[in-house]
Amino acid sequence: MNKNFIPAQAIIREIIRENEQIATFRLELTNKRLPFTFLPGQFLMLSVPHCGEAAISISSSPDRLPLVDLSIRRAGELTTAIHGMKKGDQVGIRGPFGKAFPIEDFANRDLLFVAGGIGLAPLKSVIDHCLFQSGLEEDAVQSITLLYGSRTPSDIAFKQAIESWQKQGVDCRLTVDEKDSTWNGHVGLVTELLTDVTITGNTKALVCGPPIMIRFVIASLADLGCGDESIFTTLERHMKCGMGICGHCHLDGRLICLDGPVFNVSQLKKLDVMEFAR
């Protein structure tokens, strides 16, 4: 698919309601002859007629192409509009854009994913891809651990995916800030789950969620001995054009849409990013 300003049309093949605020839209290009592929960590520019355009992380694995998933939290005009759409409706997409997670560096590694809320979406693409590769490659990842925090039990998203991952051997540990009568699991911040996780020189950590969560998770990982070049996160702030033209995502001499959105902590420490200051 051309990475220009003209969106390609995509049809909504399926809608998965993750919780009251988040839904996953499974899309397929209407023109099946358009070349399209992506890597985990990249994003698409999604447009809805009369509602504008927004950058959305891809939440599915490239192994599922020609289908591609966008998990979207209802938060504004565009996202409210797509939440009101139904199977068979069409949207516009451009991309993929941005640098991906360094999947090649994850071979034979122990992967630790730490996510909060909708932050699990871009990491889901990595988890699904690694699980797919584990059945094909000799240098697949050694282990996958997921620490996932939500505000309440009803806010937990991606339940189908989490159940599938558990069946495939992923160590999934969930926590909520506020429990209800249905919850028998951990209550507290996702950083508290790190106390029971073993960090070694073989660990690679991928973190995504609210900025304040990312800040404290990275600090905790550093205290546990995880090196700056072994911790990755994704910044999706203020991206508008996705192509490095408008400069809206400019950050300390870098453009998030071109130089990111995936960065390791070593790279972030060279930028003026307040949430990563200690």
PDB file of all heavy atoms in Angstrom, residues 211-236:
ATOM      1  N   PRO A 211       1.622   7.178  30.564  1.00  0.00           N
ATOM      2  CA  PRO A 211       2.991   7.658  30.795  1.00  0.00           C
ATOM      3  C   PRO A 211       3.481   7.479  32.220  1.00  0.00           C
ATOM      4  O   PRO A 211       4.634   7.095  32.429  1.00  0.00           O
ATOM      5  CB  PRO A 211       2.887   9.147  30.419  1.00  0.00           C
ATOM      6  CG  PRO A 211       1.810   9.197  29.401  1.00  0.00           C
ATOM      7  CD  PRO A 211       0.800   8.169  29.829  1.00  0.00           C
ATOM      8  N   ILE A 212       2.634   7.730  33.211  1.00  0.00           N
ATOM      9  CA  ILE A 212       3.081   7.595  34.600  1.00  0.00           C
ATOM     10  C   ILE A 212       3.391   6.135  34.924  1.00  0.00           C
ATOM     11  O   ILE A 212       4.329   5.850  35.672  1.00  0.00           O
ATOM     12  CB  ILE A 212       2.014   8.169  35.573  1.00  0.00           C
ATOM     13  CG1 ILE A 212       2.557   8.241  36.987  1.00  0.00           C
ATOM     14  CG2 ILE A 212       0.735   7.370  35.507  1.00  0.00           C
ATOM     15  CD1 ILE A 212       3.667   9.249  37.158  1.00  0.00           C
ATOM     16  N   MET A 213       2.620   5.220  34.348  1.00  0.00           N
ATOM     17  CA  MET A 213       2.896   3.791  34.556  1.00  0.00           C
ATOM     18  C   MET A 213       4.222   3.411  33.909  1.00  0.00           C
ATOM     19  O   MET A 213       5.051   2.712  34.507  1.00  0.00           O
ATOM     20  CB  MET A 213       1.760   2.945  33.949  1.00  0.00           C
ATOM     21  CG  MET A 213       1.896   1.440  34.240  1.00  0.00           C
ATOM     22  SD  MET A 213       1.293   0.381  32.901  1.00  0.00           S
ATOM     23  CE  MET A 213       2.755   0.343  31.817  1.00  0.00           C
ATOM     24  N   ILE A 214       4.436   3.883  32.680  1.00  0.00           N
ATOM     25  CA  ILE A 214       5.684   3.569  31.975  1.00  0.00           C
ATOM     26  C   ILE A 214       6.877   4.059  32.788  1.00  0.00           C
ATOM     27  O   ILE A 214       7.880   3.347  32.943  1.00  0.00           O
ATOM     28  CB  ILE A 214       5.681   4.211  30.574  1.00  0.00           C
ATOM     29  CG1 ILE A 214       4.597   3.581  29.704  1.00  0.00           C
ATOM     30  CG2 ILE A 214       7.046   4.064  29.913  1.00  0.00           C
ATOM     31  CD1 ILE A 214       4.462   4.234  28.332  1.00  0.00           C
ATOM     32  N   ARG A 215       6.753   5.258  33.327  1.00  0.00           N
ATOM     33  CA  ARG A 215       7.868   5.826  34.092  1.00  0.00           C
ATOM     34  C   ARG A 215       8.250   4.949  35.273  1.00  0.00           C
ATOM     35  O   ARG A 215       9.430   4.625  35.478  1.00  0.00           O
ATOM     36  CB  ARG A 215       7.494   7.222  34.583  1.00  0.00           C
ATOM     37  CG  ARG A 215       8.549   7.854  35.484  1.00  0.00           C
ATOM     38  CD  ARG A 215       8.123   9.217  35.970  1.00  0.00           C
ATOM     39  NE  ARG A 215       9.131   9.776  36.873  1.00  0.00           N
ATOM     40  CZ  ARG A 215       9.033  10.965  37.450  1.00  0.00           C
ATOM     41  NH1 ARG A 215       7.973  11.725  37.221  1.00  0.00           N
ATOM     42  NH2 ARG A 215       9.987  11.397  38.255  1.00  0.00           N
ATOM     43  N   PHE A 216       7.247   4.531  36.056  1.00  0.00           N
ATOM     44  CA  PHE A 216       7.562   3.760  37.259  1.00  0.00           C
ATOM     45  C   PHE A 216       7.952   2.318  36.926  1.00  0.00           C
ATOM     46  O   PHE A 216       8.755   1.713  37.646  1.00  0.00           O
ATOM     47  CB  PHE A 216       6.386   3.806  38.236  1.00  0.00           C
ATOM     48  CG  PHE A 216       6.307   5.105  38.988  1.00  0.00           C
ATOM     49  CD1 PHE A 216       5.452   6.114  38.593  1.00  0.00           C
ATOM     50  CD2 PHE A 216       7.142   5.335  40.083  1.00  0.00           C
ATOM     51  CE1 PHE A 216       5.404   7.333  39.272  1.00  0.00           C
ATOM     52  CE2 PHE A 216       7.107   6.542  40.769  1.00  0.00           C
ATOM     53  CZ  PHE A 216       6.238   7.545  40.367  1.00  0.00           C
ATOM     54  N   VAL A 217       7.393   1.761  35.868  1.00  0.00           N
ATOM     55  CA  VAL A 217       7.793   0.411  35.458  1.00  0.00           C
ATOM     56  C   VAL A 217       9.252   0.413  35.007  1.00  0.00           C
ATOM     57  O   VAL A 217      10.035  -0.473  35.390  1.00  0.00           O
ATOM     58  CB  VAL A 217       6.873  -0.121  34.335  1.00  0.00           C
ATOM     59  CG1 VAL A 217       7.464  -1.386  33.712  1.00  0.00           C
ATOM     60  CG2 VAL A 217       5.485  -0.404  34.882  1.00  0.00           C
ATOM     61  N   ILE A 218       9.635   1.405  34.207  1.00  0.00           N
ATOM     62  CA  ILE A 218      11.023   1.477  33.751  1.00  0.00           C
ATOM     63  C   ILE A 218      11.974   1.651  34.930  1.00  0.00           C
ATOM     64  O   ILE A 218      13.041   1.014  34.996  1.00  0.00           O
ATOM     65  CB  ILE A 218      11.179   2.622  32.733  1.00  0.00           C
ATOM     66  CG1 ILE A 218      10.505   2.227  31.414  1.00  0.00           C
ATOM     67  CG2 ILE A 218      12.654   2.954  32.497  1.00  0.00           C
ATOM     68  CD1 ILE A 218      10.515   3.322  30.364  1.00  0.00           C
ATOM     69  N   ALA A 219      11.581   2.488  35.891  1.00  0.00           N
ATOM     70  CA  ALA A 219      12.428   2.678  37.072  1.00  0.00           C
ATOM     71  C   ALA A 219      12.568   1.372  37.860  1.00  0.00           C
ATOM     72  O   ALA A 219      13.661   1.021  38.324  1.00  0.00           O
ATOM     73  CB  ALA A 219      11.839   3.770  37.952  1.00  0.00           C
ATOM     74  N   SER A 220      11.461   0.636  37.998  1.00  0.00           N
ATOM     75  CA  SER A 220      11.508  -0.640  38.729  1.00  0.00           C
ATOM     76  C   SER A 220      12.357  -1.661  37.990  1.00  0.00           C
ATOM     77  O   SER A 220      13.125  -2.417  38.606  1.00  0.00           O
ATOM     78  CB  SER A 220      10.086  -1.177  38.929  1.00  0.00           C
ATOM     79  OG  SER A 220       9.306  -0.308  39.714  1.00  0.00           O
ATOM     80  N   LEU A 221      12.214  -1.702  36.667  1.00  0.00           N
ATOM     81  CA  LEU A 221      13.014  -2.644  35.880  1.00  0.00           C
ATOM     82  C   LEU A 221      14.501  -2.334  36.012  1.00  0.00           C
ATOM     83  O   LEU A 221      15.331  -3.251  36.120  1.00  0.00           O
ATOM     84  CB  LEU A 221      12.590  -2.579  34.410  1.00  0.00           C
ATOM     85  CG  LEU A 221      11.231  -3.202  34.072  1.00  0.00           C
ATOM     86  CD1 LEU A 221      10.819  -2.827  32.649  1.00  0.00           C
ATOM     87  CD2 LEU A 221      11.281  -4.717  34.230  1.00  0.00           C
ATOM     88  N   ALA A 222      14.835  -1.048  36.025  1.00  0.00           N
ATOM     89  CA  ALA A 222      16.243  -0.664  36.195  1.00  0.00           C
ATOM     90  C   ALA A 222      16.752  -1.106  37.563  1.00  0.00           C
ATOM     91  O   ALA A 222      17.880  -1.613  37.685  1.00  0.00           O
ATOM     92  CB  ALA A 222      16.381   0.846  36.031  1.00  0.00           C
ATOM     93  N   ASP A 223      15.931  -0.939  38.597  1.00  0.00           N
ATOM     94  CA  ASP A 223      16.336  -1.353  39.938  1.00  0.00           C
ATOM     95  C   ASP A 223      16.545  -2.870  40.012  1.00  0.00           C
ATOM     96  O   ASP A 223      17.336  -3.363  40.826  1.00  0.00           O
ATOM     97  CB  ASP A 223      15.277  -0.933  40.967  1.00  0.00           C
ATOM     98  CG  ASP A 223      15.239   0.586  41.159  1.00  0.00           C
ATOM     99  OD1 ASP A 223      16.235   1.259  40.807  1.00  0.00           O
ATOM    100  OD2 ASP A 223      14.208   1.086  41.633  1.00  0.00           O
ATOM    101  N   LEU A 224      15.810  -3.601  39.174  1.00  0.00           N
ATOM    102  CA  LEU A 224      15.925  -5.065  39.165  1.00  0.00           C
ATOM    103  C   LEU A 224      17.076  -5.541  38.276  1.00  0.00           C
ATOM    104  O   LEU A 224      17.292  -6.747  38.131  1.00  0.00           O
ATOM    105  CB  LEU A 224      14.610  -5.688  38.696  1.00  0.00           C
ATOM    106  CG  LEU A 224      13.419  -5.529  39.663  1.00  0.00           C
ATOM    107  CD1 LEU A 224      12.110  -5.920  38.975  1.00  0.00           C
ATOM    108  CD2 LEU A 224      13.642  -6.380  40.918  1.00  0.00           C
ATOM    109  N   GLY A 225      17.769  -4.593  37.649  1.00  0.00           N
ATOM    110  CA  GLY A 225      18.955  -4.951  36.876  1.00  0.00           C
ATOM    111  C   GLY A 225      18.760  -5.050  35.385  1.00  0.00           C
ATOM    112  O   GLY A 225      19.653  -5.510  34.665  1.00  0.00           O
ATOM    113  N   CYS A 226      17.600  -4.620  34.893  1.00  0.00           N
ATOM    114  CA  CYS A 226      17.355  -4.672  33.443  1.00  0.00           C
ATOM    115  C   CYS A 226      18.040  -3.474  32.781  1.00  0.00           C
ATOM    116  O   CYS A 226      17.811  -2.322  33.161  1.00  0.00           O
ATOM    117  CB  CYS A 226      15.846  -4.640  33.178  1.00  0.00           C
ATOM    118  SG  CYS A 226      15.370  -5.241  31.554  1.00  0.00           S
ATOM    119  N   GLY A 227      18.871  -3.708  31.814  1.00  0.00           N
ATOM    120  CA  GLY A 227      19.639  -2.648  31.177  1.00  0.00           C
ATOM    121  C   GLY A 227      18.797  -1.749  30.294  1.00  0.00           C
ATOM    122  O   GLY A 227      17.744  -2.146  29.782  1.00  0.00           O
ATOM    123  N   ASP A 228      19.260  -0.512  30.088  1.00  0.00           N
ATOM    124  CA  ASP A 228      18.516   0.463  29.294  1.00  0.00           C
ATOM    125  C   ASP A 228      18.258  -0.018  27.868  1.00  0.00           C
ATOM    126  O   ASP A 228      17.226   0.287  27.271  1.00  0.00           O
ATOM    127  CB  ASP A 228      19.281   1.793  29.234  1.00  0.00           C
ATOM    128  CG  ASP A 228      19.271   2.522  30.568  1.00  0.00           C
ATOM    129  OD1 ASP A 228      18.467   2.135  31.443  1.00  0.00           O
ATOM    130  OD2 ASP A 228      20.069   3.468  30.721  1.00  0.00           O
ATOM    131  N   GLU A 229      19.201  -0.739  27.303  1.00  0.00           N
ATOM    132  CA  GLU A 229      19.026  -1.199  25.924  1.00  0.00           C
ATOM    133  C   GLU A 229      18.171  -2.457  25.829  1.00  0.00           C
ATOM    134  O   GLU A 229      17.908  -2.950  24.724  1.00  0.00           O
ATOM    135  CB  GLU A 229      20.392  -1.434  25.282  1.00  0.00           C
ATOM    136  CG  GLU A 229      21.195  -0.128  25.127  1.00  0.00           C
ATOM    137  CD  GLU A 229      22.471  -0.304  24.350  1.00  0.00           C
ATOM    138  OE1 GLU A 229      22.810  -1.464  24.031  1.00  0.00           O
ATOM    139  OE2 GLU A 229      23.135   0.700  24.059  1.00  0.00           O
ATOM    140  N   SER A 230      17.726  -2.950  27.001  1.00  0.00           N
ATOM    141  CA  SER A 230      16.866  -4.145  27.024  1.00  0.00           C
ATOM    142  C   SER A 230      15.431  -3.798  27.377  1.00  0.00           C
ATOM    143  O   SER A 230      14.606  -4.686  27.546  1.00  0.00           O
ATOM    144  CB  SER A 230      17.412  -5.178  28.019  1.00  0.00           C
ATOM    145  OG  SER A 230      18.652  -5.687  27.587  1.00  0.00           O
ATOM    146  N   ILE A 231      15.129  -2.504  27.540  1.00  0.00           N
ATOM    147  CA  ILE A 231      13.772  -2.057  27.858  1.00  0.00           C
ATOM    148  C   ILE A 231      13.254  -1.223  26.690  1.00  0.00           C
ATOM    149  O   ILE A 231      13.877  -0.237  26.287  1.00  0.00           O
ATOM    150  CB  ILE A 231      13.742  -1.203  29.140  1.00  0.00           C
ATOM    151  CG1 ILE A 231      14.384  -1.953  30.312  1.00  0.00           C
ATOM    152  CG2 ILE A 231      12.302  -0.828  29.492  1.00  0.00           C
ATOM    153  CD1 ILE A 231      14.537  -1.104  31.561  1.00  0.00           C
ATOM    154  N   PHE A 232      12.095  -1.618  26.167  1.00  0.00           N
ATOM    155  CA  PHE A 232      11.506  -0.943  25.015  1.00  0.00           C
ATOM    156  C   PHE A 232      10.117  -0.425  25.359  1.00  0.00           C
ATOM    157  O   PHE A 232       9.376  -1.058  26.103  1.00  0.00           O
ATOM    158  CB  PHE A 232      11.395  -1.900  23.821  1.00  0.00           C
ATOM    159  CG  PHE A 232      12.703  -2.477  23.383  1.00  0.00           C
ATOM    160  CD1 PHE A 232      13.207  -3.626  23.984  1.00  0.00           C
ATOM    161  CD2 PHE A 232      13.440  -1.864  22.377  1.00  0.00           C
ATOM    162  CE1 PHE A 232      14.425  -4.160  23.593  1.00  0.00           C
ATOM    163  CE2 PHE A 232      14.653  -2.393  21.973  1.00  0.00           C
ATOM    164  CZ  PHE A 232      15.156  -3.540  22.585  1.00  0.00           C
ATOM    165  N   THR A 233       9.778   0.732  24.810  1.00  0.00           N
ATOM    166  CA  THR A 233       8.421   1.241  24.949  1.00  0.00           C
ATOM    167  C   THR A 233       8.039   1.937  23.655  1.00  0.00           C
ATOM    168  O   THR A 233       8.861   2.067  22.735  1.00  0.00           O
ATOM    169  CB  THR A 233       8.300   2.197  26.149  1.00  0.00           C
ATOM    170  OG1 THR A 233       6.905   2.496  26.381  1.00  0.00           O
ATOM    171  CG2 THR A 233       9.056   3.495  25.907  1.00  0.00           C
ATOM    172  N   THR A 234       6.793   2.356  23.579  1.00  0.00           N
ATOM    173  CA  THR A 234       6.322   3.001  22.353  1.00  0.00           C
ATOM    174  C   THR A 234       5.641   4.311  22.694  1.00  0.00           C
ATOM    175  O   THR A 234       4.804   4.366  23.599  1.00  0.00           O
ATOM    176  CB  THR A 234       5.378   2.059  21.569  1.00  0.00           C
ATOM    177  OG1 THR A 234       4.857   2.740  20.427  1.00  0.00           O
ATOM    178  CG2 THR A 234       4.256   1.533  22.426  1.00  0.00           C
ATOM    179  N   LEU A 235       6.025   5.374  22.003  1.00  0.00           N
ATOM    180  CA  LEU A 235       5.442   6.702  22.192  1.00  0.00           C
ATOM    181  C   LEU A 235       4.538   7.003  21.006  1.00  0.00           C
ATOM    182  O   LEU A 235       4.959   6.882  19.868  1.00  0.00           O
ATOM    183  CB  LEU A 235       6.542   7.766  22.278  1.00  0.00           C
ATOM    184  CG  LEU A 235       7.618   7.597  23.348  1.00  0.00           C
ATOM    185  CD1 LEU A 235       8.620   8.745  23.252  1.00  0.00           C
ATOM    186  CD2 LEU A 235       7.001   7.534  24.732  1.00  0.00           C
ATOM    187  N   GLU A 236       3.322   7.401  21.283  1.00  0.00           N
ATOM    188  CA  GLU A 236       2.389   7.652  20.179  1.00  0.00           C
ATOM    189  C   GLU A 236       1.809   9.052  20.263  1.00  0.00           C
ATOM    190  O   GLU A 236       0.747   9.328  19.727  1.00  0.00           O
ATOM    191  CB  GLU A 236       1.283   6.601  20.204  1.00  0.00           C
ATOM    192  CG  GLU A 236       1.831   5.199  19.984  1.00  0.00           C
ATOM    193  CD  GLU A 236       0.822   4.129  20.281  1.00  0.00           C
ATOM    194  OE1 GLU A 236      -0.315   4.473  20.612  1.00  0.00           O
ATOM    195  OE2 GLU A 236       1.195   2.958  20.200  1.00  0.00           O
TER     196      GLU A 236
END
